[in-house]
Amino acid sequence: MAAMHALLSGFAPIWILTGIGYAAGRGGLLGEQAESVLGRFVFHVAMPAALFTMVSGSRPAAFAHPSMVAFAAGTALVSALGYAVSRRFFGRERAEAAVGGMASGYVNSANLGIPVAVHVLGDASFVAQVILFQVLFVSPVVLTLLDSGTRGGGAAVGGLRRMLTMPVRNPVIMASLLGVAVSAAGWQPPAAVTHSCDVLGAAAVPTALITLGLSLCGGPGGRKDRGAGDGAGRVTGRTEAAGVTAAGRTEAGAATAGRPEVGVTAAGRTGVGVAIAGRTEVGVAVALKTVVQPLVAFLVAGPLLGLPDHQVLAVVLCSALPTAQNAYLYAREYGLDTGLARHCVVASTVVSMGTLSFGAWVLGPSR
């Protein structure tokens, strides 16, 4: 009963804040540019502040724990599998396949993992390690793929220069690296700085959820400005003007002079086939996230590493958490189709209520 109460307590803010964002979008309360402005605020301002505070107070030695090896193995395997499936079977380009991999293996460790861990496991120490692992190791890999995939090929020297300068150009990576430097130096920032970062960082998760809710309706009156996306990363039946994304990449519209795009994917699918492919891709990603990832984590933590029961439970529960809204934010920031990430966040959150409960029941101390 306590475990179920913890799950409901953790899920409630997600549904409530996403619902508020959806209602605000339907009513046009925040204006047509609200999704874009709030998304940039989270990515460039609130999230970096939260990450700097978190990483600067961390202990790097925590990653040497065997439990983290099991979690990292499941994350790496499933994320790579999600990337490969998006590329080979759904025709995604490199950047959008990176979003597919992230949707398959990047867990919602902050606003869901912490309450679940506190109530089910008794403390949130392992979740803190998971958060740092994703911030310091997984996010830079995803962002590198997004950056290289959206800026085109170019010369080898240009590609190397972009990779070396990405920490300066990307606020998420920059804030994480600054936090690592502060932690390694053992320096304690002034109280005014840490308090300001705490207050600003606290806005990251709620604003991200509001932005996610706005994206579900696409603007006033439920207009789908960005579209749900098809199975190959193209959006059907929409019109967009050419524009420049916040990531600095010129994005051509899906149609010109107000002429709607014909719904043809890279594989030549049209109409109903596009919708089926889109639902199939979301279904595969959600299955990888909520079923395959915790199963891999269990096999590594239990039979392979022989960890104690309570550590196996912690690894499995954290691996079974749903897709984080970061996948949607990153896709949006780089001007990509947000449909896959958006639907994976919502669908995996629903499905994970069952998988988390099942995991706690099977592996919990009362079994």
Side-chain angles (χ1 to χ4, degrees):
M1 193 67 181
M4 181 58 66
H5 176 73
L7 289 177
L8 294 177
S9 298
F11 281 104
I14 294 179
W15 294 119
I16 292 173
L17 292 177
T18 303
I20 291 173
Y22 179 79
R26 290 285 296 183
L29 180 65
L30 302 179
E32 294 189 356
Q33 299 302 315
E35 181 189 343
S36 175
V37 172
L38 291 179
R40 290 198 300 269
F41 167 75
V42 173
F43 188 86
H44 291 277
V45 181
M47 187 181 294
L51 295 178
F52 172 77
T53 301
M54 183 189 311
V55 176
S56 62
S58 66
R59 294 179 297 105
F63 295 112
H65 199 281
S67 298
M68 277 308 304
V69 174
F71 179 84
T75 298
L77 179 61
V78 173
S79 297
L81 186 57
Y83 177 87
V85 167
S86 292
R87 287 279 277 176
R88 290 182 174 273
F89 295 99
F90 297 103
R92 298 277 184 178
E93 297 299 329
R94 182 197 305 167
E96 290 187 335
V99 175
M102 190 177 185
S104 302
Y106 198 100
V107 306
N108 190 338
S109 53
N111 55 319
L112 256 184
I114 292 175
V116 169
V118 168
H119 289 87
V120 179
L121 303 175
D123 72 90
S125 58
F126 182 68
V127 176
Q129 298 173 34
V130 168
I131 294 174
L132 292 172
F133 168 75
Q134 294 193 138
V135 168
L136 296 178
F137 296 99
V138 181
S139 286
V141 173
V142 173
L143 290 169
T144 299
L145 290 171
L146 290 173
D147 191 77
S148 62
T150 53
R151 292 178 182 270
V157 175
L160 179 60
R161 184 184 301 115
R162 284 195 301 272
M163 182 162 302
L164 292 176
T165 59
M166 195 171 72
V168 179
R169 295 182 288 105
N170 190 294
V172 172
I173 296 180
M174 179 187 292
S176 301
L177 292 178
L178 287 175
V180 170
V182 169
S183 176
W187 180 58
Q188 180 64 41
V193 174
T194 56
H195 181 64
S196 298
C197 289
D198 287 340
V199 173
L200 188 56
V205 170
T207 307
L209 292 172
I210 293 291
T211 308
L212 177 64
L214 288 169
S215 75
L216 292 175
C217 66
R223 178 168 52 85
K224 297 287 184 182
D225 290 331
R226 293 191 65 82
D230 63 35
R234 292 165 174 77
V235 181
T236 60
R238 67 173 182 172
T239 57
E240 287 184 342
V244 179
T245 69
R249 180 175 61 89
T250 301
E251 179 184 25
T256 59
R259 183 179 61 198
E261 178 190 13
V262 178
V264 181
T265 70
R269 298 185 298 270
T270 59
V272 177
V274 167
I276 293 175
R279 287 194 296 268
T280 301
E281 186 175 12
V282 171
V284 170
V286 171
L288 288 172
K289 178 71 221 60
T290 59
V291 178
V292 178
Q293 187 174 0
L295 180 59
V296 172
F298 169 76
L299 294 175
V300 175
L304 189 59
L305 296 180
L307 298 180
D309 290 346
H310 69 280
Q311 292 183 19
V312 174
L313 175 63
V315 171
V316 171
L317 286 185
C318 286
S319 300
L321 291 168
T323 303
Q325 59 268 19
N326 299 49
Y328 158 74
L329 289 172
Y330 289 2
R332 209 218 137 270
E333 178 63 25
Y334 279 85
L336 302 171
D337 169 38
T338 60
L340 173 62
R342 180 173 63 241
H343 296 314
C344 282
V345 171
V346 175
S348 66
T349 301
V350 174
V351 175
S352 67
M353 294 183 70
T355 54
L356 285 168
S357 300
F358 179 76
W361 176 66
V362 172
L363 300 174
S366 60
R367 76 183 189 277

